[in-house]
Amino acid sequence: MADDENKGDSKEESKKDEEEQQQDEAAAEEESRKKRLERGDYVIQVHVIEARDLKPRDFGDTSDPVAEVTVMNVKKSTQIHKESLTVMFDERLTYDFKNLEPEELNQGKCIIEVFDANVIRKNVLIGSFEFDLTMVYYKQHHELYQQWVALTDVTGDNEGVQGYLQVTIVVLGPKDEQFIHPESEEFETEGALLNVMMPPQVETDPHLLRVFVRQLDKLMVMDRLGLRPSSDPYAIVKFGGHEVRTSTFWEKLDVMVHECVTLPVMEPLLGDTIILHVKDADKTSKDEIIGTFTYSYNAIKKSGMRDQWVHMYGAPSGKQKGLADKMNRAIVEGTTYRGSMMLSMVVDDKPSDDELKSQCMKAGFDADKLAPGIEQWALQVDVYQGVEVGDGKGKFAIRMMIRDLKVQTDFSPCAKGACEWYELMKLSDAGAKEDTIDLRMPDDVNQCPDVIFYLIEKKSGFDTTDNVISYLRFKWKDLVGKNYKKEGGGFSSPPQWYQFKPSEVLQKLDEETFPGTILMGIRAGLQAKKPKDGVPPSARPFLNMADESDPLMDIYEEHKNEEASISSSKTKTIVTSVSMSGGDSALDPLLSTPRAQKRSVSSGKLTAAETMGKLDVTVVNAQNVPPMDRDGTSDPYVEVTVNGHSQKTSVQKGSLKPSWNEKFEYPGVSIHDSISLQLNDWNRFGKKDVIGKVDNIILMGLLKEAKGQLGVDFNYTKKFFVSEKFPNCTVTISITFDFDAKQVAMRREKKSTIGIFDKVTKESKSKRVDHIMGRPYPRNYKMIVYVYQARNLDALDDSGFSDPFIE
């Protein structure tokens, strides 16, 4: 009796130890899974240990087994073993992969196939097994250790288990080290296997993966040689060693497919990644990939996948090799939209014997019940300015693509790497006061297409092709945010500086060309939740206005009404005509109708007393002026420009440290205006030499630096670095701004000049709307770089030395 109790206790303890071991392994696997895949070098080792109970394929009820192991399309084989059904292979196959992308490993497979080798005839498959590399990587120690697997015939010629194979698979990434198992552990494992008289019994549970391909839409043109550019698309699904494709639809870019692809799945299986390609069929060459999707089989089995839209992104049209191939296979981020597809998936856990086969068949589709819902969305994009743009010169534009919808700014000249656009992106047929792009897209944010921005350089001459410098891609759900279902949700995001991404498939940039950093305000959400009072102030922080009208428009109207009220008793009517820098308000589609009522501080709107005033600029001195003349001196003077009106100091002849203390008055100035300074060297014969210049010294920025308040007079003195060529050269100015509402009558606007080839039409009018979007306030800084020493430089001269310098 006591012995029975001891045996029972022993069994319970053994069961408890086994459960604890499983828990420890699960915890270790979960900890490993938290480690994100990294880009870098990977080493994959497959140890083919032993095969047992292989089914014979030769006439003498025997086989000549050989194992072929394919890892990410790289195939290696073991030695052939003659006339045996139980084989001790004990061979290690190693695969080295350099600069592997995380998604390449995620899609990577390890396929182990055992063949009956033949000399004349083709090798005959005995059975195979497929592993996902990521599944192995996330295991404890990044390995499957001495794992027995059941081999099955994926061709369908032989049913059931065709033998058993024992393998160890190790996947090591950057910074990973291989775990060394103690000999005692190997001995215990081997002893446990020797105690098994028969190989472990593996029961297969048949399942059926059904993939419903409903529709292909707006596919990229892959064939351009015919009379009508088109594509010949079909979809192909890969999983569990099976590949099944839909019908091919010749010369189609949009097609209703309505086909179901079925793939038999024998569980248990260690693979999880379903790969789906959309390809373009070619009769004379290899089929090209249009786009790729990957899905988790276990996730589909658990929850299914209802009919939904998915979108393909990859390389630009015509590019299929190298990095472009990785993009088209969804291994790295694609730069270009390549088409959309509606599909659904489900796993049938009890298929009939007739259904359990790889095939493609027609499938009905009830659009009213199954099609994804559609919602009205809204997108607002303000494009302000850019820095580190291209090679620092030329003309550039920002283009936005949503599927095949294209919206683009005007081309803006680039000076020293900086561009200014100040445009609202809108459709060409948009109404006069519209600043929103309305989009009809799925109601599920995860099914909406991505928004892609491009930095475009204008080519010279007759070349009209796009010179795409860089790109930036956003998921729609990231733009709308988590609160898009709330009132105003998604429309209050402030402008941000966005670092665009270079890509070799767009253009290979040299060391002197930069992808650009662009200041944009991007707001998106449900059209029904768009704020009714216009753009929230938080979305346009550079504009100290609560409405969308020109900051000066109401001030002029206010002053005009005051003038009219004063002269109302007179018989003669005084008419005030104002020339706005943006053009006539009737022609500007982005200006609201001016209102004559006085703006109050409590309403958040500025009055003339808080905006207009008289500006005094005193040029104090200049320091570290470089010698521009042959005698080692200069004849410097400073040119001050405000609102298109320039004034000059006197010339200080023969001086490198000139001092002026000369004051210039500028009446009728807005706090939103800016100052430009230019330091010149005077020449008696010939043109002046420009020593340096600083533009866009915005008065509002100086007011903030002085910690002043709107409507309160202030003065401020500041030193400005004016030259990149002469980095120590500075000009010091002192400004005084006296707020005065009556100064609006003294305002002077710079008259625009029209060339003899220009047409004065509504279409030719500038689209700049900085008076609506506001302008960021630049600040003047100086960066000092200390270079100490260099070592172990290469000898580039014939003398065995170099003449190094740093630029």
Side-chain angles (χ1 to χ4, degrees):
M1 191 72 173
D3 292 340
D4 293 340
E5 290 180 357
N6 291 335
K7 288 181 180 179
D9 293 340
S10 178
K11 288 182 179 180
E12 289 181 1
E13 290 178 2
S14 177
K15 184 177 181 181
K16 186 177 180 181
D17 292 341
E18 185 178 347
E19 290 178 352
E20 290 179 354
Q21 182 180 356
Q22 291 176 352
Q23 291 176 359
D24 292 342
E25 291 179 356
E29 183 175 342
E30 181 63 26
E31 185 66 27
S32 179
R33 190 175 292 274
K34 291 179 181 178
K35 179 181 178 182
R36 295 186 60 185
L37 294 175
E38 297 182 5
R39 181 180 184 273
D41 299 342
Y42 283 79
V43 176
I44 300 169
Q45 186 182 86
V46 180
H47 182 193
V48 183
I49 304 172
E50 180 183 359
R52 295 184 183 180
D53 279 9
L54 299 178
K55 298 297 183 182
R57 292 293 186 263
D58 289 341
F59 295 111
D61 288 336
T62 185
S63 291
D64 303 323
V66 59
E68 290 187 359
V69 182
T70 304
V71 178
M72 297 179 63
N73 299 322
V74 178
K75 183 180 294 186
K76 295 184 179 183
S77 302
T78 66
Q79 296 291 325
I80 299 173
H81 294 259
K82 294 290 185 178
E83 299 180 353
S84 179
L85 299 178
T86 297
V87 181
M88 182 60 69
F89 289 103
D90 195 20
E91 294 190 42
R92 287 178 171 84
L93 307 176
T94 302
Y95 303 78
D96 294 317
F97 296 96
K98 302 294 184 182
N99 297 321
L100 207 62
E101 297 288 346
E103 186 59 27
E104 286 184 277
L105 191 71
N106 186 51
Q107 294 185 25
K109 306 283 186 182
C110 174
I111 303 173
I112 302 179
E113 300 169 298
V114 178
F115 289 91
D116 171 38
N118 295 299
V119 178
I120 301 176
R121 295 186 298 116
K122 182 179 179 182
N123 291 351
V124 179
L125 178 67
I126 298 175
S128 66
F129 205 94
E130 180 179 297
F131 302 88
D132 277 2
L133 294 179
T134 49
M135 182 277 300
V136 178
Y137 184 77
Y138 287 130
K139 288 287 185 183
Q140 188 178 17
H141 308 313
H142 309 299
E143 67 176 359
L144 273 176
Y145 185 64
Q146 295 187 351
Q147 175 71 52
W148 281 97
V149 296
L151 302 175
T152 56
D153 186 356
V154 296
T155 64
D157 294 338
N158 300 279
E159 296 182 356
V161 176
Q162 302 299 303
Y164 301 93
L165 184 70
Q166 187 185 30
V167 295
T168 294
I169 304 177
V170 183
V171 180
L172 299 177
K175 303 177 184 178
D176 293 331
E177 295 183 1
Q178 186 166 2
F179 180 77
I180 306 300
H181 291 268
E183 292 184 5
S184 59
E185 183 177 338
E186 295 185 8
F187 176 77
E188 289 176 3
T189 304
E190 190 64 28
L193 290 175
L194 290 174
N195 290 331
V196 178
M197 298 300 296
M198 294 291 293
Q201 297 298 318
V202 180
E203 295 183 2
T204 57
D205 185 14
H207 289 66
L208 190 67
L209 172 64
R210 302 179 190 269
V211 180
F212 295 90
V213 181
R214 307 295 190 185
Q215 184 177 348
L216 296 172
D217 189 53
K218 298 187 183 301
L219 298 179
M220 175 175 283
V221 174
M222 305 295 289
D223 303 323
R224 298 182 178 276
L225 299 179
L227 297 177
R228 189 180 71 173
S230 188
S231 294
D232 307 313
Y234 67 90
I236 181 170
V237 185
K238 302 179 180 180
F239 184 65
H242 300 277
E243 293 186 11
V244 186
R245 55 184 285 179
T246 66
S247 303
T248 300
F249 300 88
W250 301 99
E251 297 183 357
K252 297 287 186 181
L253 296 177
D254 305 282
V255 57
M256 295 294 182
V257 181
H258 296 324
E259 291 185 356
C260 176
V261 169
T262 63
L263 294 89
V265 181
M266 306 304 293
E267 296 188 8
L269 77 165
L270 297 181
D272 185 57
T273 303
I274 304 169
I275 299 177
L276 191 154
H277 295 298
V278 177
K279 291 189 173 185
D280 171 57
D282 287 312
K283 296 179 180 179
T284 59
S285 60
K286 183 180 178 182
D287 294 352
E288 296 178 327
I289 295 176
I290 299 177
T292 302
F293 306 100
T294 59
Y295 300 95
S296 167
Y297 171 79
N298 290 319
I300 299 297
K301 179 182 176 182
K302 180 179 180 180
S303 306
M305 175 180 165
R306 62 186 178 86
D307 285 286
Q308 59 184 254
W309 283 103
V310 292
H311 309 281
M312 293 172 276
Y313 297 92
S317 178
K319 297 188 177 183
Q320 293 286 336
K321 297 181 179 180
L323 179 61
D325 180 63
K326 291 185 177 182
M327 287 185 176
N328 299 338
R329 293 180 182 273
I331 293 171
V332 297
E333 183 181 66
T335 64
T336 309
Y337 171 76
R338 296 174 72 91
S340 300
M341 178 168 61
M342 187 196 298
L343 80 161
S344 63
M345 294 188 194
V346 67
V347 176
D348 187 352
D349 59 353
K350 294 181 180 179
S352 65
D353 293 339
D354 294 336
E355 294 175 325
L356 200 62
K357 56 185 177 181
S358 301
Q359 59 181 335
C360 175
M361 65 190 79
K362 286 292 181 181
F365 180 66
D366 188 343
D368 295 334
K369 294 182 179 179
L370 301 177
I374 299 297
E375 185 62 82
Q376 293 290 339
W377 299 89
L379 176 65
Q380 299 174 341
V381 181
D382 302 339
V383 183
Y384 291 87
Q385 54 185 237
V387 295
E388 294 185 335
V389 175
D391 57 359
K393 55 189 177 183
K395 292 186 176 181
F396 295 85
I398 299 297
R399 175 180 298 167
M400 180 181 70
M401 297 288 297
I402 308 176
R403 295 227 293 172
D404 60 342
L405 174 66
K406 180 171 69 174
V407 184
Q408 183 172 310
T409 68
D410 287 341
F411 283 97
S412 175
C414 180
K416 297 180 180 180
C419 275
E420 291 187 346
W421 290 280
Y422 294 101
E423 292 187 34
L424 306 181
M425 281 195 163
K426 54 192 298 186
L427 301 177
S428 58
D429 58 349
K433 296 183 179 181
E434 293 181 23
D435 62 354
T436 301
I437 299 174
D438 295 330
L439 302 166
R440 192 169 177 269
M441 300 191 299
D443 55 6
D444 181 359
V445 293
N446 295 301
Q447 298 184 44
C448 294
D450 293 357
V451 181
I452 308 179
F453 291 90
Y454 299 97
L455 177 64
I456 311 291
E457 183 180 16
K458 187 175 185 179
K459 288 192 175 181
S460 58
F462 297 100
D463 191 349
T464 59
T465 58
D466 293 334
N467 191 20
V468 183
I469 302 297
S470 54
Y471 79 104
L472 190 61
R473 181 175 150 191
F474 295 93
K475 290 188 178 298
W476 185 256
K477 67 177 182 179
D478 294 334
L479 293 181
V480 300
K482 297 180 180 179
N483 299 320
Y484 69 93
K485 293 184 178 180
K486 297 181 179 179
E487 196 67 34
F491 292 96
S492 59
S493 302
Q496 295 184 42
W497 286 99
Y498 294 101
Q499 177 69 55
F500 276 46
K501 300 178 182 179
S503 178
E504 292 183 4
V505 301
L506 299 174
Q507 184 175 153
K508 191 171 183 179
L509 305 183
D510 56 34
E511 295 180 354
E512 302 296 328
T513 304
F514 298 93
T517 301
I518 312 299
L519 180 63
M520 298 189 296
I522 307 174
R523 304 173 295 279
L526 292 169
Q527 190 182 68
K529 302 298 182 181
K530 188 174 70 171
K532 298 178 180 179
D533 298 331
V535 178
S538 61
R540 287 177 178 161
F542 308 127
L543 182 66
N544 287 276
M545 302 295 299
D547 62 349
E548 292 188 354
S549 59
D550 189 313
L552 300 178
M553 181 66 76
D554 288 347
I555 295 174
Y556 278 111
E557 289 295 322
E558 177 186 332
H559 176 73
K560 186 172 69 174
N561 290 339
E562 290 177 356
E563 294 266 336
S565 62
I566 294 174
S567 60
S568 59
S569 59
K570 299 181 181 180
T571 57
K572 186 176 180 180
T573 302
I574 300 176
V575 180
T576 304
S577 176
V578 181
S579 173
M580 302 299 296
S581 60
D584 186 23
S585 62
L587 297 179
D588 195 330
L590 299 171
L591 284 180
S592 303
T593 303
R595 296 188 300 274
Q597 67 266 27
K598 184 171 176 136
R599 298 193 277 188
S600 64
V601 177
S602 61
S603 65
K605 303 176 183 179
L606 302 180
T607 63
E610 296 172 297
T611 307
M612 301 302 300
K614 182 172 77 72
L615 172 67
D616 293 339
V617 179
T618 301
V619 180
V620 181
N621 59 39
Q623 296 180 351
N624 301 314
V625 177
M628 305 297 289
D629 298 334
R630 294 180 178 179
D631 60 356
T633 63
S634 291
D635 305 321
Y637 70 95
V638 176
E639 189 174 350
V640 183
T641 304
V642 178
N643 204 24
H645 178 51
S646 298
Q647 300 186 65
K648 304 175 183 178
T649 66
S650 59
V651 177
Q652 296 286 327
K653 294 186 176 181
S655 176
L656 300 181
K657 295 182 179 180
S659 180
W660 290 281
N661 289 310
E662 297 181 17
K663 183 173 71 172
F664 305 103
E665 296 182 356
Y666 294 91
V669 175
S670 165
I671 195 66
H672 299 286
D673 288 338
S674 62
I675 305 172
S676 294
L677 301 176
Q678 183 168 301
L679 177 63
N680 302 317
D681 173 55
W682 176 83
N683 293 311
R684 181 181 298 275
F685 304 104
K687 296 182 179 180
K688 63 186 178 185
D689 295 324
V690 178
I691 300 174
K693 183 178 181 180
V694 56
D695 291 318
N696 292 325
I697 306 172
I698 300 178
L699 295 175
M700 178 63 79
L702 297 179
L703 174 66
K704 289 187 175 183
E705 291 182 27
K707 299 182 180 180
Q709 299 179 2
L710 289 172
V712 179
D713 299 347
F714 77 100
N715 56 68
Y716 189 59
T717 300
K718 185 172 181 178
K719 180 187 296 184
F720 293 92
F721 296 95
V722 296
S723 174
E724 291 183 358
K725 185 177 181 181
F726 309 106
N728 294 321
C729 181
T730 62
V731 172
T732 302
I733 64 171
S734 178
I735 69 163
T736 301
F737 194 90
D738 297 328
F739 286 94
D740 184 2
K742 296 181 181 180
Q743 287 292 321
V744 68
M746 306 294 293
R747 183 165 181 81
R748 299 174 61 181
E749 295 288 346
K750 182 180 179 180
K751 296 182 179 180
S752 59
T753 58
I754 301 176
I756 59 174
F757 296 107
D758 295 339
K759 294 182 179 180
V760 186
T761 64
K762 179 178 178 179
E763 288 74 15
S764 65
K765 190 178 67 61
S766 172
K767 298 196 305 185
R768 288 174 63 95
V769 287
D770 45 332
H771 56 285
I772 290 178
M773 296 160 53
R775 295 171 63 90
Y777 308 120
R779 299 197 177 195
N780 198 262
Y781 291 97
K782 180 180 180 180
M783 181 175 70
I784 301 176
V785 179
Y786 296 94
V787 181
Y788 292 99
Q789 59 181 306
R791 294 181 178 178
N792 300 323
L793 299 179
D794 291 337
L796 300 180
D797 295 339
D798 296 335
S799 61
F801 294 94
S802 292
D803 305 316
F805 68 94
I806 296 176
E807 186 175 357

